[in-house]
Amino acid sequence: MSSVASEQLPDAAGRFGPYGGRYVPETLVHPLRELEEEYFRAQQDPGFQRELDYYLREFVGRPTPLYHAQRLTEDLGGAKIYLKREDLLHTGAHKINNAMGQILLAKRMGKTRIIAETGAGQHGVATATVAAMFGFECVVYMGAHDCDRQRLNVFRMRMLGAEVVPVEAGQKTLKEAVNEAMRDWVTNVRSTHYILGTAYGAHPYPVMVRNFHRVIGDEARRQVLEQEERLPDLLTACVGGGSNAIGLFYPFIEDESVSMVGVEAGGEGIIPEKHAARFQGGSLGVLQGTRSYLLQDEVGQIQMTHSVSAGLDYAAVGPEHAWLRDQGRVEYTYATDDQALEAFFRLSKLEGIIPALESSHAVAEVIARAPQMSKDQIIICNLSGRGDKDVQQVAEKVKM
Amino acid sequence: MLRPVNRIDQRFQNLREQNRKGFVAYIGAGDPDLASTEALAVRLADSGVDILELGVPFSDPLADGLVNQLAAQRGLASGTTPERLLETVAAIRKQSNVPIVLYIYFNIMHRRGLKEFIDAAAAAGVDGLLALDLPPEEADEYEQLMKEAGLCSIWLIAPTTPEERIAAIAARGSGFIYYISREGVTGMRQDIVSSLDERIAAIRRHTDLPIAVGFGISNAEQVRQVAADCDAVVVGSAIVNQIAEHGNAPDLPERVGGFVQELTEAL
């Protein structure tokens, strides 16, 4: 395993091995270069880092606890389970780590308008929040189907002063919202910064989003060493585009004793158009700026997807995940809708923590693995978001 | 082996000799079906169209405005696969010598395999490809294969493209340079940007290739206005709109041909 090389990726062209790159219309090429230059300048600028750290601490609520889930551990009877409590962050999910980083960047670049796409609405809410905080105009694109199933977040964004644009094209979920955000950006690129919400898209987004989220793994690593005086045996995280997963995994990449599992959305099972597990039914392709694994048909049309969780319901996966999978560094599996729902209730009832449906996929993997591990082993599960937004959908689904 | 001159180069040479400006017409392939595309192509060639751009329907056309998105949806709904589209190009070739450029999202050719797709396109009688989401930086292999197949790589230049990048793109182009007259997606606009002549002059400093201008041009007045600064004018959404309106009419080719004739006569 070439772990040292992994640390240095992506290369100057934004590539992780054969994945990544910058596949965009010409109008966006130069703006993306400017973004890249400004991002790397900011990354080297202690003033920028200080400002970001300040807002992450005082506004966002970092660090988040690494919490020992005692009853879940006892119930499963195997490995000791820790939850990285990103659900406790302001706005309710990890998404704000990246939104905060990017809004400070937008400020630096003198942009006046912010756009974003959102699936479950957590990235949209995080973006609307930081836009309100710094006085930016904000437009969020959200699939019309997602607007229905995550209505609470639509209200939150509007209350925060953002304009939410329901996207009616295609299957009316995250992929179509990204298309529409790209169309807006290509039209208004001089005034507008696009706060892309996951470790996906054209360079520099995958590396930038990863770096804004690596705080999750940096904290978790420090915390587990403090609390257990050793590294964990296993990390689990759900993977839509893959931002919370790469944020947790990245700082552990060099720790060869630490296994990692990314959990995709298995939907109703691995049947075309019934899931969003790109590493199960997908193949190499180019979509929305990058080269990675996609769910597509034999001629390259993008397939429909399904997941109970809007945030994982997406046809492509971040390029760095494709690379880590090729390297054998991270294993990717999936949880079905039913497994995720079971995990949702189990964590709620045993720990008093209602997880987001997305994060429930990572919990489902803990439920599958912990019993097979010994009691002196340690799992860290990224609890990337809280489930308030899902309460209505789940209640309707199980007829509570 | 001496390669036959590409039809695009040939056409621009003829235009220069006749001291005329070119007219590039865009339609979505398979809208409303491929039989109509074939009939429309032949009719458009007879209506003064110098180059025909055929949009390859894609599920996620993120550089396109609503008019062309809907055309792509109709194209997909009518069963337009890349393979059937190339069969249609071959059928058009039997009736017309109009140069044909495929306007395509990269994933379609990536999926088939670049070499296989490019060779199949050349064999069918395609003259050039315009890959919307493939910037030159990602295109080394593509360009090589295009050269080997004798196809023109049509590159876009945008209002946001700085001059040193214009130089790099222009050096790699063949056939013609496609200047996008404004930031944005495809679609009709009321007004035409004012600084067009300066931008075209900037491109001309770096290339002798013909320059076509498109995005937002929808009526005869705009065609005339834009043509003054460049070598060819591209009209897309306005024609696609006509197809959307008259898609089921038995005389669709005549109606669209008539509409386009008014535009080409403005040149």
Side-chain angles (χ1 to χ4, degrees):
Chain A
M1 191 195 72
S2 53
S3 57
V4 176
S6 298
E7 268 267 301
Q8 290 159 353
L9 292 179
D11 67 14
R15 294 200 172 275
F16 303 86
Y19 309 109
R22 184 179 283 157
Y23 296 88
V24 291
E26 173 58 26
T27 304
L28 293 178
V29 173
H30 186 66
L32 280 163
R33 280 190 173 177
E34 289 180 323
L35 175 63
E36 176 191 350
E37 282 168 20
E38 194 59 38
Y39 167 65
F40 286 115
R41 257 200 302 274
Q43 205 192 16
Q44 301 302 318
D45 175 358
F48 179 84
Q49 285 304 326
R50 254 198 314 278
E51 192 181 10
L52 179 57
D53 289 347
Y54 168 80
Y55 286 115
L56 288 180
R57 187 175 68 242
E58 302 296 333
F59 183 79
V60 173
R62 301 213 72 93
T64 59
L66 183 70
Y67 176 69
H68 175 208
Q70 210 168 330
R71 292 192 69 216
L72 184 65
T73 300
E74 280 165 19
D75 193 52
L76 295 172
K80 189 169 183 181
I81 299 157
Y82 280 94
L83 304 173
K84 183 57 177 162
R85 297 292 309 276
E86 295 298 292
D87 61 312
L88 291 176
L89 290 178
H90 181 44
T91 70
H94 73 290
K95 292 293 186 189
I96 197 162
N97 300 324
N98 168 55
M100 185 60 80
Q102 286 200 44
I103 197 95
L104 295 179
L105 206 53
K107 200 156 67 92
R108 255 177 98 98
M109 291 189 295
K111 302 289 181 182
T112 55
R113 182 173 173 269
I114 293 296
I115 58 168
E117 86 296 340
T118 196
Q122 290 302 116
H123 175 60
V125 168
T127 301
T129 298
V130 295
M133 192 183 161
F134 289 101
F136 282 81
E137 182 192 345
C138 178
V139 178
V140 180
Y141 293 93
M142 185 168 185
H145 175 52
D146 291 340
C147 288
D148 284 342
R149 58 178 164 168
Q150 307 273 234
R151 213 166 312 147
L152 178 71
N153 277 342
V154 175
F155 294 140
R156 290 169 81 196
M157 286 183 269
R158 287 182 175 151
M159 286 170 193
L160 288 159
E163 182 191 346
V164 179
V165 181
V167 180
E168 299 285 349
Q171 72 175 61
K172 307 177 187 186
T173 57
L174 180 55
K175 174 168 67 75
E176 289 75 21
V178 174
N179 287 338
E180 212 50 39
M182 297 278 284
R183 290 182 188 119
D184 181 316
W185 202 33
V186 86
T187 307
N188 301 298
V189 66
R190 289 178 201 267
S191 68
T192 300
H193 176 62
Y194 176 15
I195 302 192
L196 203 153
T198 191
Y200 191 79
H203 183 56
Y205 282 104
V207 59
M208 179 169 74
V209 175
R210 175 194 78 194
N211 289 349
F212 283 138
H213 281 304
R214 67 168 291 167
V215 64
I216 303 170
D218 284 331
E219 280 177 16
R221 197 171 182 285
R222 199 173 62 236
Q223 289 164 321
V224 74
L225 286 174
E226 274 165 21
Q227 293 174 43
E228 294 285 345
E229 296 179 340
R230 54 166 294 214
L231 288 168
D233 298 280
L234 177 69
L235 309 177
T236 72
C238 63
V239 180
S243 67
N244 89 80
I246 203 71
L248 175 66
F249 295 167
Y250 187 66
F252 291 93
I253 294 272
E254 303 290 301
D255 301 317
E256 292 186 21
S257 68
V258 181
S259 302
M260 309 178 186
V261 188
V263 188
E264 296 185 286
E268 294 170 10
I270 307 304
I271 305 157
E273 307 193 350
K274 297 290 181 196
H275 70 98
R278 292 64 45 102
F279 290 132
Q280 303 299 324
S283 50
L284 190 56
V286 173
L287 179 68
Q288 295 173 338
T290 197
R291 189 167 192 248
S292 188
Y293 269 78
L294 313 178
L295 294 168
Q296 58 183 333
D297 70 11
E298 66 285 354
V299 301
Q301 307 295 352
I302 310 308
Q303 282 177 324
M304 304 279 220
T305 53
H306 164 81
S307 169
V308 68
S309 74
L312 305 184
D313 198 350
Y314 183 59
V317 65
E320 190 163 10
H321 287 290
W323 165 251
L324 291 171
R325 176 175 177 260
D326 276 9
Q327 298 307 300
R329 183 63 190 95
V330 180
E331 183 189 338
Y332 293 86
T333 182
Y334 63 92
T336 63
D337 287 354
D338 289 345
Q339 289 167 327
L341 279 166
E342 191 210 322
F344 175 94
F345 281 111
R346 197 136 170 197
L347 193 71
S348 299
K349 287 174 182 169
L350 283 172
E351 294 291 346
I353 299 170
I354 301 178
L357 283 173
E358 290 75 19
S359 321
S360 300
H361 288 70
V363 177
E365 188 60 18
V366 171
I367 291 171
R369 298 232 179 183
Q372 282 142 44
M373 294 168 68
S374 69
K375 290 189 178 186
D376 56 3
Q377 289 187 296
I378 297 168
I379 301 176
I380 296 178
C381 173
N382 201 6
L383 205 64
S384 55
R386 60 180 177 247
D388 304 32
K389 70 185 176 61
D390 300 311
V391 162
Q392 192 170 359
Q393 191 197 348
V394 173
E396 282 166 18
K397 210 171 168 62
V398 303
K399 303 191 171 53
M400 286 180 101
Chain B
M1 185 185 86
L2 211 68
R3 197 178 285 292
V5 176
N6 185 291
R7 289 182 199 88
I8 297 170
D9 297 330
Q10 185 67 56
R11 182 61 55 115
F12 275 108
Q13 197 185 319
N14 294 348
L15 286 167
R16 256 192 309 272
E17 286 164 11
Q18 296 162 14
N19 202 20
R20 280 202 304 127
K21 307 282 183 166
F23 188 93
V24 183
Y26 169 96
I27 60 174
D31 172 24
D33 51 48
L34 280 169
S36 302
T37 301
E38 185 181 332
L40 279 165
V42 175
R43 185 66 175 80
L44 289 177
D46 291 341
S47 308
V49 167
D50 294 295
I51 294 174
L52 183 66
E53 250 186 73
L54 287 180
V56 183
F58 181 50
S59 54
D60 292 85
L62 57 75
D64 281 295
L66 188 61
V67 169
N68 288 353
Q69 288 174 45
L70 293 173
Q73 275 179 29
R74 292 190 296 268
L76 290 173
S78 74
T80 307
T81 60
E83 199 176 345
R84 293 191 56 215
L85 166 54
L86 292 181
E87 289 166 16
T88 301
V89 170
I92 296 168
R93 267 292 155 259
K94 290 185 182 144
Q95 307 161 68
S96 171
N97 250 328
V98 66
I100 295 177
V101 172
L102 298 186
Y103 171 108
I104 189 169
Y105 287 87
F106 186 56
N107 196 50
I108 298 288
M109 57 174 121
H110 183 274
R111 180 67 164 148
R112 172 96 177 250
L114 293 194
K115 182 168 169 47
E116 211 186 314
F117 182 87
I118 288 167
D119 289 350
V126 169
D127 304 291
L129 297 180
L130 194 168
L132 259 291
D133 51 353
L134 183 71
E137 288 85 348
E138 303 286 358
D140 290 347
E141 187 193 357
Y142 163 85
E143 271 190 317
Q144 185 57 38
L145 293 166
M146 291 287 283
K147 265 193 201 115
E148 285 166 20
L151 296 188
C152 293
S153 302
I154 315 295
W155 295 116
L156 297 164
I157 289 178
T160 52
T161 310
E163 189 150 350
E164 67 275 14
R165 189 172 160 77
I166 290 177
I169 294 174
R172 299 175 74 154
S174 51
F176 60 96
I177 295 288
Y178 189 135
Y179 181 67
I180 302 170
S181 58
R182 63 177 67 224
E183 292 102 324
V185 293
T186 56
M188 298 169 282
R189 303 293 199 303
Q190 291 299 317
D191 57 318
I192 291 295
V193 279
S194 50
S195 59
L196 192 60
D197 50 341
E198 291 166 31
R199 296 292 296 171
I200 300 293
I203 299 171
R204 290 219 197 274
R205 280 198 284 277
H206 301 285
T207 183
D208 294 329
L209 282 174
I211 300 168
V213 174
F215 275 39
I217 302 163
S218 58
N219 60 43
E221 178 49 37
Q222 290 174 336
V223 167
R224 233 187 324 267
Q225 199 185 329
V226 170
D229 293 317
C230 62
D231 304 300
V233 177
V234 188
V235 177
S237 298
I239 301 172
V240 173
N241 225 17
Q242 291 291 314
I243 298 172
E245 229 170 86
H246 305 299
N248 295 318
D251 59 345
L252 173 71
E254 286 67 37
R255 283 177 191 239
V256 177
F259 174 80
V260 170
Q261 188 121 26
E262 280 177 32
L263 298 178
T264 58
E265 280 169 2
L267 286 174

